[in-house]
């Protein structure tokens, strides 16, 4: 991993008793809040808006939404490569500018091909601004407190749903998609670009610091030790990477499908868009709570055991969604589902860092995200297809309950989390 020029700027030097890594956590938190709130959580609102205002079918819009995840996953490979070589401030700023510009054009989408292009470019922008840059940077700044730092930073992914979902739904309902999209795009750019340029730094080494602010690790000859971890080639060939990634493919495909359709499911069953927006906000609030609880529990519970429990809870939530009809029932199930959303989004970056270290982390995470995100595309499309063919969401949600089961089985079979790192340590000691 190339840490980047050092020092990058005297402005970023640590001040006082607070380790600068916590400023990085706060910055990534804010970027995640804005980007996820206006991109990821808006997917379900856009699905409904393109159906009602644009005249597109549910099936066509669901398929177009799937392209968002495919393009985001593929673009993530390039983002991982760039993060090892260039200043992340420019990568994140590019992603925000592209996403904001595409978002502002939503009201001008009138043809099916334009809908597809909209989601493809939106996905590329999302890859450059959201999970891969943020989690890679945070992981570089922490070792001992990595689980807590990632939990805090990734909480913004859920807070974005609380803050921006009701705002987006209200603006689109009151002013229409065309006018509302301009304002949403502007907020996305202004909420990310300035703070990214001012605050983000690629690694502690870039400003003359070290992970956690600890004394630097040195080799026997006194030189600085390289980042810990496994090579990219060894990591991606390992049993743990293959089966752990498969587990996230199954579980995240179901999760993303549910997220894309949740707003419409609640609106259809209750007949009220405001109730649907509140259900999404409740889900996001539960996601924050679950993530913060998870960040604390992971210092005492093995990551694999914790993740297996989350898969079980996710399956229960999907089964309950199939039968929930009243607003109260839908709110309760949304809270259960939200607890799994926050933890699942946090756990992939965390468990990969724990398993393979930082040596090739950006590339390992980007590949896992590409595979997972591309597979996620099947989630919204599958739910849309099942909704149309069965005349409702009950069969659709019962079907994706099986995905949680398959995810549980794959992760269980993956083996010990730190098998490669432990083997490497034994080899070095011998």
């Amino acid at each position: 991993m190339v840490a980047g020029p050092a020092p990058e700027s005297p402005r970023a030097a640590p001040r006082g008793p607070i380790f600068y890594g916590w400023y990085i956590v706060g910055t990534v938190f804010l970027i995640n809040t804005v980007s996820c709130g206006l991109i990821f959580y808006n997917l379900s609102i856009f699905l409904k808006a393109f159906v009602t205002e644009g005249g597109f079918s549910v099936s066509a819009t669901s398929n177009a939404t799937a392209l968002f995840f495919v393009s985001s996953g593929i673009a993530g490979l390039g983002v991982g490569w760039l993060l090892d070589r260039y200043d992340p401030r420019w990568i994140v700023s590019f992603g925000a500018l592209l996403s904001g510009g595409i978002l502002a054009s939503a009201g001008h989408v009138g043809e099916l091909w334009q809908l597809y292009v909209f989601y493809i470019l939106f996905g590329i922008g999302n890859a450059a601004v959201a999970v891969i840059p943020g989690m890679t940077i945070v992981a570089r700044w922490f070792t001992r407190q990595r689980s807590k730092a990632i939990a805090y930073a990734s909480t913004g992914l859920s807070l974005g749903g609380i803050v921006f979902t009701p705002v987006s739904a209200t603006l689109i309902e009151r002013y229409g998609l065309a006018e509302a999209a301009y304002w949403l795009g502007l907020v996305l750019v202004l909420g990310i670009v300035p703070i990214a340029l001012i605050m983000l730094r690629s690694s502690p080494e870039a400003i003359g610091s070290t992970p956690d602010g600890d004394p630097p690790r040195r080799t026997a000859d006194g030189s600085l030790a390289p980042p810990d971890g496994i090579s990219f080639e060894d990591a991606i060939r390992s049993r743990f990477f293959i089966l752990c990634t498969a587990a996230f493919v199954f579980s995240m495909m179901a999760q993303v499908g549910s997220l894309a359709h949740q707003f419409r499911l609640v609106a259809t069953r209750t007949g009220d868009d405001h109730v649907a927006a509140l259900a999404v906000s409740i889900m996001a609030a539960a996601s924050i709570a679950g993530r913060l609880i998870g960040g604390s529990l992971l210092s005492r519970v093995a990551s694999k055991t914790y993740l297996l429990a989350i898969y079980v809870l996710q399956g229960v939530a999907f089964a309950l969604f199939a039968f929930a009809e009243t607003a109260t029932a839908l709110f309760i199930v949304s809270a259960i589902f939200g607890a799994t959303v926050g933890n699942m989004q946090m756990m992939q970056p965390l468990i990969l860092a724990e398993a393979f270290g930082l040596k090739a982390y950006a590339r390992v995470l980007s590949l896992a995200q590409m595979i997972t995100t591309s597979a996620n595309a099947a989630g919204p499309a599958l739910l849309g297809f099942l909704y149309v063919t069965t005349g409702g969401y009950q069969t659709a949600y019962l079907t994706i309950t099986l995905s949680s089961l398959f995810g549980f089985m794959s992760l269980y079979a993956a083996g010990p989390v730190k098998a490669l790192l432990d083997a490497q340590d034994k080899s070095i000691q011998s």
Side-chain angles (χ1 to χ4, degrees):
M1 181 186 74
V2 179
E8 290 177 343
S9 170
R11 179 188 307 174
R15 298 184 179 91
I18 301 177
F19 173 51
Y20 193 77
W22 293 113
Y23 292 105
I24 295 294
V25 168
T27 300
V28 173
F29 168 85
L30 291 174
I31 291 173
N32 284 341
T33 299
V34 177
S35 64
C36 198
L38 291 174
I39 300 175
F40 187 75
Y41 281 104
N42 265 348
L43 292 178
S44 61
I45 296 176
F46 290 160
L47 188 148
K48 185 175 185 295
F50 281 129
V51 170
T52 56
E53 292 191 34
F56 298 104
S57 68
V58 173
S59 179
T61 310
S62 297
N63 291 335
T65 304
L67 291 176
F68 168 90
F69 296 103
V70 173
S71 65
S72 184
I74 295 173
L77 287 176
V79 171
W81 184 87
L82 291 171
L83 285 169
D84 279 343
R85 291 161 176 81
Y86 300 104
D87 192 326
R89 291 176 292 182
W90 306 116
I91 299 169
V92 172
S93 296
F94 167 79
L97 290 168
L98 177 59
S99 299
I102 294 302
L103 176 55
S105 72
H108 300 285
V109 175
E111 303 291 337
L112 187 59
W113 70 267
Q114 294 174 338
L115 186 69
Y116 289 159
V117 171
F118 173 89
Y119 278 107
I120 290 171
L121 295 179
F122 209 31
I124 294 172
N126 176 69
V129 76
V131 175
I132 295 174
M135 295 306 98
T136 297
I137 295 169
V138 170
R140 290 173 180 172
W141 279 85
F142 294 89
T143 301
R144 289 182 292 102
Q145 302 189 78
R146 186 176 293 154
S147 62
K148 185 181 295 185
I150 287 180
Y152 291 164
S154 61
T155 297
L157 299 172
S158 301
L159 183 62
I162 297 176
V163 174
F164 291 105
T165 297
V167 173
S168 298
T170 300
L171 286 176
I172 291 172
E173 181 182 16
R174 182 173 300 177
Y175 301 108
L177 181 60
E179 185 172 350
Y182 285 122
W183 293 106
L184 295 174
L186 181 63
V187 170
L188 193 151
V189 171
L190 295 181
I192 294 176
V193 174
I195 190 173
L197 293 177
I198 294 171
M199 297 297 296
L200 280 186
R201 294 298 182 267
S202 62
S203 69
E205 292 80 9
I207 62 167
S209 183
T210 56
D212 294 301
D214 292 339
R217 296 169 56 247
R218 296 185 180 277
T219 61
D221 63 1
S223 60
L224 287 175
D228 66 305
I230 306 300
S231 70
F232 176 73
E233 292 74 15
D234 288 339
I236 65 173
R237 288 196 297 263
S238 69
R239 170 188 171 190
F240 186 83
F241 178 84
I242 294 169
L243 289 178
C244 181
T245 301
F248 278 101
V249 164
F250 288 119
S251 59
M252 291 297 292
M253 177 180 66
Q255 181 192 106
V256 168
S258 181
L259 287 171
H261 283 266
Q262 183 189 1
F263 184 88
R264 192 172 188 278
L265 177 148
V266 178
T268 300
R269 290 184 176 175
T270 64
D272 191 329
D273 283 3
H274 295 290
V275 172
L278 180 57
V280 174
S281 294
I282 289 173
M283 180 272 295
S287 176
I288 292 176
R291 197 189 309 267
L292 293 176
I293 293 171
S296 175
L297 288 176
L298 284 166
S299 62
R300 298 184 291 275
V301 179
S303 57
K304 182 177 175 180
T305 301
Y306 185 78
L307 187 54
L308 287 171
I310 295 301
Y311 285 161
V312 173
L313 188 61
Q314 184 191 60
V316 171
F318 291 149
L320 293 174
F321 259 137
F323 299 102
E325 294 287 345
T326 67
T328 301
L330 288 163
F331 289 159
I332 293 172
V333 181
S334 293
I336 297 172
F337 174 54
T340 70
V341 170
N343 280 285
M344 206 86 72
Q345 293 173 343
M346 172 182 75
M347 286 305 297
Q348 189 176 34
L350 180 59
I351 204 168
L352 290 177
E354 184 180 340
F356 304 118
L358 297 182
K359 183 176 183 179
Y361 179 72
R363 294 175 65 196
V364 171
L365 176 61
S366 64
L367 179 60
Q369 286 270 307
M370 187 276 288
I371 296 170
T372 304
T373 305
S374 297
N376 289 350
L382 176 62
L383 279 175
F385 172 77
L386 291 172
Y387 173 84
V388 172
T389 55
T390 64
Y393 279 114
Q394 187 175 93
T395 300
Y397 272 86
L398 288 175
T399 300
I400 64 173
T401 301
L402 296 174
S403 289
S404 296
L405 174 61
F406 294 147
F408 180 97
M409 295 168 60
S410 296
L411 182 63
Y412 184 83
V417 175
K418 294 186 176 182
L420 277 181
L421 281 175
D422 290 343
Q424 184 186 64
D425 289 342
K426 289 180 182 178
S427 175
I428 292 174
Q429 290 172 4
S430 62

